[in-house]
Amino acid sequence: MNQLLSGNPSAFYLSSCLVSKGYSLNLQKRYRNSDWLNIIGIGAMIRSGHDVGYENAINAFQQQSGLFIHPSGKTALSLLGKLHYLELSQKK
């Protein structure tokens, strides 16, 4: 676990990335049962005692998966300061 913590400054981990680094699914389960890692979604975990914002999670996800993802929809509008323009109900 010390190698895992020192090798990744982020508190966010993808299970598939951990498997590729030699941390088997059984070992990951042991870390979760020991409260070292907490599941936050399917295949996604954070270190216990850490609060990861969505910006940090997206950044870590991009680095670990090699995929380019970005916020969209209401989140993107909110980041641009345009959420107040979103119509929440249809006009009749």
Side-chain angles (χ1 to χ4, degrees), residues 7-80:
N8 187 359
S10 171
F12 177 88
Y13 301 95
L14 290 176
S15 179
S16 58
C17 182
L18 292 177
V19 167
S20 70
K21 291 183 178 186
Y23 297 91
S24 68
L25 294 176
N26 287 333
L27 185 57
Q28 293 177 42
K29 184 177 180 179
R30 190 170 358 145
Y31 288 163
R32 289 191 311 269
N33 290 338
S34 299
D35 289 328
W36 289 344
L37 295 174
N38 294 325
I39 294 177
I40 59 170
I42 297 173
M45 296 170 280
I46 60 171
R47 278 190 240 160
S48 294
H50 286 78
D51 186 26
V52 178
Y54 75 90
E55 298 98 342
N56 293 335
I58 288 173
N59 184 35
F61 184 89
Q62 287 178 342
Q63 291 177 357
Q64 293 178 32
S65 69
L67 300 173
F68 181 73
I69 61 168
H70 57 276
S72 62
K74 290 182 183 179
T75 303
L77 290 172
S78 176
L79 290 171
L80 293 172

Side-chain angles (χ1 to χ4, degrees), residues 84-92:
H84 60 282
Y85 293 119
L86 185 63
E87 187 175 319
L88 297 177
S89 62
Q90 293 182 342
K91 294 180 181 178
K92 292 184 179 182

